[in-house]
Amino acid sequence: MTTATAPVPAHRHVSAAQPIAEALNLSKSYGSDSATVTALRGVTLRLEAGAFTAIMGPSGSGKSTLMHIMAGLDTATSGTIALGGRDITRLGDTDLTLLRRRRIGFVFQSFNLVPTLDVEQNILLPFDLDGRRPNAAERAHLLALVDSLGLTDRLRHRPHELSGGQQQRVAIARALVTRPDLVFADEPTGNLDSRTGRDVLTLLASASRDRGQSIAMVTHDPIAASFADRVVFLADGRIVDDRGRCTPQEISHLMLNLEAAA
Ligand SMILES: Nc1ncnc2c1ncn2[C@@H]1O[C@H](COP(=O)(O)OP(=O)(O)OP(=O)(O)O)[C@@H](O)[C@H]1O
Ligand SMILES: [Mg+2]
């Protein structure tokens, strides 16, 4: 297997498993003319069904942009995205919204909670948007999630009454509550202390291992990334390394090399 001292070929991680999400030669530029910023430069990434993938890379390397485009929240300048084998680049807005709502959970780097709703209403938002109420099994799943995220005594609070870490956990519960096939989580442990962070990582790992959900998680934390089955490294809008499960020491070493090269 890979070691921290091995040479660093790109796209090392190869598997025959059916990808749940596939980005092909994705590029993204913002702005125009002299003000153009290029965030992604030809990224090809296949996320396998049921796998837990960490995405790492320096600030500004394109991680959030990649997640937003793969989740159908933003469009690429060029390249294609397939979800469950379906090219979403060609889907109309209505079909795309339904697909996203039913199959994808997203934890935003900035949480995106609704300030006028309490914690429970925020978590139940995906059901509201889908025009239905949770059934008994979904209700039980909600309560288990809330309990494992330590939010049980905060259900009637509004976001501004919560700490940053509590808001982050509400965003995680909201992304997981409908048990979507594919969950994108942008730095889901960024605001958490190490114990709460570990609880969240255990929750994400078990969603992948026990329920077959696919998880893609952006993180700057080598310990968080060591919970994943695979670690993908981005730098300056390109995938520069792609590894199987790594120890935190190996990941720190790879990150230091990347930052030194930047
Ligand atoms: N809406 C936007 N308009 C213009 N430039 C943008 C926009 N969003 C992102 N960028 C630029 O694209 C590049 C990649 O940004 P992105 O947010 O994907 O980075 P990141 O890897 O998620 O960084 P961080 O670790 O700081 O969250 C950056 O140079 C950023 O300034
Ligand atoms: Mg980001």
Side-chain angles (χ1 to χ4, degrees):
M1 278 303 291
T2 27
T3 68
T5 50
V8 187
H11 314 302
R12 170 191 287 267
H13 192 87
V14 177
S15 163
Q18 162 77 25
I20 186 156
E22 193 169 23
L24 285 178
N25 205 16
L26 219 59
S27 293
K28 175 70 173 177
S29 300
Y30 292 104
S32 55
D33 304 330
S34 58
T36 301
V37 174
T38 302
L40 297 176
R41 304 167 194 272
V43 170
T44 292
L45 178 65
R46 291 179 183 85
L47 299 178
E48 287 137 33
F52 184 5
T53 305
I55 298 172
M56 304 194 80
S59 182
S61 57
K63 305 179 297 295
S64 296
T65 303
L66 176 62
M67 303 258 283
H68 289 153
I69 295 175
M70 288 193 83
L73 294 164
D74 194 2
T75 53
T77 307
S78 63
T80 55
I81 300 290
L83 294 178
R86 218 166 151 203
D87 182 352
I88 66 162
T89 344
R90 295 178 201 290
L91 279 186
D93 276 352
T94 315
D95 287 343
L96 183 57
T97 304
L98 279 180
L99 179 78
R100 224 173 32 220
R101 202 176 276 165
R102 304 226 164 120
R103 302 202 49 195
I104 299 178
F106 206 102
V107 183
F108 291 89
Q109 194 166 7
S110 51
F111 317 145
N112 283 16
L113 302 180
V114 180
T116 50
L117 299 182
D118 71 17
V119 165
E120 183 172 22
Q121 290 165 334
N122 263 286
I123 296 173
L124 288 174
L125 205 56
F127 290 107
D128 286 344
L129 292 174
D130 206 22
R132 67 191 188 91
R133 307 294 306 157
N135 61 31
E138 288 165 335
R139 194 86 213 159
H141 179 58
L142 164 79
L143 293 176
L145 268 179
V146 162
D147 181 51
S148 65
L149 290 166
L151 294 168
T152 306
D153 60 354
R154 289 288 181 276
L155 289 178
R156 299 284 159 257
H157 291 241
R158 290 204 284 161
H160 75 271
E161 299 167 321
L162 303 176
S163 71
Q166 288 165 339
Q167 292 179 40
Q168 185 152 39
R169 284 176 275 152
V170 175
I172 292 163
R174 184 179 60 185
L176 294 176
V177 73
T178 56
R179 282 178 282 199
D181 301 338
L182 178 56
V183 177
F184 291 99
D186 200 345
E187 293 195 47
T189 58
N191 288 61
L192 304 181
D193 60 64
S194 50
R195 190 182 64 81
T196 319
R198 203 181 52 230
D199 291 346
V200 165
L201 293 162
T202 306
L203 190 71
L204 294 176
S206 98
S208 145
R209 195 185 51 240
D210 305 331
R211 279 197 292 281
Q213 289 171 280
S214 312
I215 316 282
M217 170 183 75
V218 169
T219 182
H220 287 280
D221 176 5
I223 295 177
S226 73
F227 280 71
D229 306 315
R230 174 187 183 190
V231 189
V232 173
F233 295 85
L234 272 184
D236 196 21
R238 293 189 178 86
I239 293 181
V240 293
D241 205 353
D242 187 347
R243 307 229 167 190
R245 187 177 282 276
C246 294
T247 66
Q249 291 73 23
E250 288 167 338
I251 296 165
S252 300
H253 184 81
L254 290 163
M255 285 296 291
L256 282 174
N257 283 347
L258 261 189
E259 281 158 19

